[in-house]
Amino acid sequence: MSAFCPNMTSLTVSKSEINDEAISHISKLKKMKKLQLIEATHISSFGYAELLLNLPQLCSLGNCDSFGEVINILYNNYHYQAIPNMLPLEQVDCEGPISDYELHLIANHCPKMRDIRLVYNASFSRRYESEVFDLAILSKMSTLDQVGIISADFYSHSMFTVLKTKGARLTHLELTNVDELNLASLMMIGDHCKLLSHVNICCCHYTPQPGDRTRMEQACTPQARSTNIRPFSKLRSANFTLTTSTHLPILKYPIFFALDLEVLQLNQIYQPGDSFILSLVSWNPLHSLLQFSLTNGLHLSLMAANTLIQACPRLRQIGQLSSWGRVEQEELVAFKKEIVARNLDLKIE
């Protein structure tokens, strides 16, 4: 490939036994810009470092769970070769731990980084001179517009600082296993991230506080939703995984204001009934909704599906209906036939 495709700019390899030896050949493709190595478990951190060292146009590294170690190796362990001070990287997806020090390296050497997803490692520390710590280091990345944070504390690890300083640029936000969420943090996201078009909040710890119900009622009014500067006004797709009913404010607050929402995916771990769907469409008429999916709704029946169809005139897909506990296979078959008979442009999965 390196011999016969010297002008290759994009490469995706999935579930391959590709290793460091193969990486040495990929490193010869000097025009490579986008590289996606999916489940490539035989590539070492040194192999990824070799890619960054030898591909001067590489802007997307795709999934690299050892990226923290890779950037550390590159700027602390390579002594025999000139290391570029600035890397062209714009995107990386890392489901491995990244420390404060490694975040500093990324901020200092990847000035074009616009999309990063990482597991924050608060336990690892290394001495270095800086006035910025924790996730606040992300605020130094001037081009950042998509952020995914896994396993961190919203306040203790300064995620709120990132939102206050960089929220105006963010279009995508993912929070997974993030602690210390409360109503104030949701309001902060809405107030500072006006351009958000996608949000994913998964298995986060939500802390209810006295007065939350009153604050929610005061914030979620028709008057507040009718303004052009309302929170979550640009939101088009959203994904929520809720572990208990106390997490409902995580869903209700953004959904209430997202009048142009087109895609909504709910991975419910706690078990709501049909009344939950009635509540959902009372929060937001969902007139723009095109796709809806709710996984493992053990207490949901076809009544919930009919509620969505009646409330959402643009709905084109209802996903995971077969996983709803009160929907029998015979009912589902009959329901699909009814959809066809009514000439509805609607896909049922």
Side-chain angles (χ1 to χ4, degrees):
M1 184 170 59
S2 61
F4 295 102
C5 305
N7 295 320
M8 183 179 291
T9 60
S10 178
L11 175 64
T12 298
V13 180
S14 179
K15 298 181 180 179
S16 169
E17 295 186 2
I18 186 172
N19 55 22
D20 287 1
E21 182 179 356
I23 289 297
S24 65
H25 295 288
I26 295 176
S27 297
K28 297 175 183 178
L29 298 168
K30 300 301 181 181
K31 295 185 179 181
M32 184 68 65
K33 294 182 179 180
K34 295 183 179 181
L35 188 60
Q36 183 74 276
L37 304 175
I38 303 170
E39 297 184 28
T41 58
H42 298 287
I43 303 174
S44 71
S45 298
F46 284 92
Y48 281 108
E50 184 177 354
L51 287 172
L52 296 180
L53 186 63
N54 291 289
L55 298 178
Q57 299 184 48
L58 188 65
C59 59
S60 177
L61 189 57
N63 180 261
C64 177
D65 292 344
S66 59
F67 187 66
E69 185 178 355
V70 170
I71 202 79
N72 199 349
I73 288 172
L74 197 60
Y75 288 99
N76 289 292
N77 291 74
Y78 270 97
H79 304 297
Y80 60 88
Q81 189 172 349
I83 309 298
N85 188 48
M86 300 296 178
L87 297 174
L89 273 181
E90 298 178 12
Q91 184 273 332
V92 67
D93 183 351
C94 178
E95 293 191 5
I98 292 182
S99 67
D100 287 12
Y101 176 69
E102 290 158 352
L103 274 178
H104 271 290
L105 291 178
I106 296 169
N108 292 336
H109 299 289
C110 304
K112 295 182 179 181
M113 187 67 72
R114 62 171 191 82
D115 179 359
I116 188 168
R117 184 168 178 264
L118 61 94
V119 177
Y120 180 58
N121 182 7
S123 61
F124 177 81
S125 62
R126 176 172 178 162
R127 289 189 175 184
Y128 57 91
E129 295 182 4
S130 177
E131 297 179 354
V132 183
F133 300 94
D134 299 331
L135 292 173
I137 301 164
L138 293 171
S139 300
K140 297 170 61 179
M141 302 181 188
S142 60
T143 58
L144 205 61
D145 58 31
Q146 300 186 41
V147 176
I149 302 298
I150 305 172
S151 298
D153 296 339
F154 188 86
Y155 293 103
S156 300
H157 295 150
S158 304
M159 185 63 204
F160 72 96
T161 301
V162 179
L163 297 178
K164 286 183 175 180
T165 56
K166 291 299 175 185
R169 283 188 53 88
L170 293 183
T171 61
H172 286 60
L173 177 65
E174 175 185 338
L175 302 177
T176 302
N177 291 325
V178 170
D179 206 348
E180 301 179 348
L181 281 191
N182 55 18
L183 184 56
S185 63
L186 296 174
M187 291 181 171
M188 186 184 302
I189 294 171
D191 290 341
H192 291 279
C193 306
K194 296 293 188 181
L195 297 181
L196 272 187
S197 61
H198 175 76
V199 66
N200 184 351
I201 301 180
C202 176
C203 298
C204 292
H205 180 74
Y206 182 85
T207 304
Q209 295 177 327
D212 274 1
R213 175 172 293 185
T214 300
R215 292 184 64 195
M216 182 76 81
E217 291 175 351
Q218 292 174 345
C220 297
T221 64
Q223 293 79 11
R225 189 164 59 185
S226 64
T227 66
N228 293 329
I229 58 172
R230 69 181 185 274
F232 301 104
S233 62
K234 303 291 185 182
L235 198 64
R236 298 297 180 269
S237 64
N239 189 325
F240 298 93
T241 299
L242 309 179
T243 55
T244 74
S245 58
T246 60
H247 288 181
L248 278 179
I250 295 177
L251 173 64
K252 180 178 179 178
Y253 185 75
I255 291 298
F256 180 85
F257 292 101
L259 293 178
D260 295 320
L261 190 69
E262 297 177 349
V263 179
L264 177 58
Q265 182 173 341
L266 304 178
N267 303 303
Q268 308 275 163
I269 297 177
Y270 87 97
Q271 301 304 329
D274 291 339
S275 61
F276 168 76
I277 301 297
L278 289 170
S279 297
L280 186 65
V281 298
S282 71
W283 302 338
N284 184 330
L286 299 175
H287 288 165
S288 298
L289 194 67
L290 298 174
Q291 299 178 31
F292 176 85
S293 176
L294 192 152
T295 305
N296 295 325
L298 296 183
H299 301 294
L300 292 178
S301 71
L302 288 180
M303 182 181 297
N306 278 312
T307 299
L308 285 169
I309 293 172
Q310 293 171 11
C312 310
R314 299 183 62 197
L315 192 63
R316 295 295 177 264
Q317 179 178 330
I318 301 179
Q320 301 297 321
L321 198 61
S322 59
S323 71
W324 294 7
R326 293 175 60 192
V327 177
E328 300 293 338
Q329 183 62 31
E330 296 79 7
E331 290 181 310
L332 185 58
V333 171
F335 186 64
K336 290 181 178 180
K337 290 180 179 179
E338 180 184 352
I339 295 297
V340 174
R342 292 166 61 184
N343 200 29
L344 295 179
D345 184 12
L346 180 61
K347 182 179 180 182
I348 303 295
E349 295 181 343

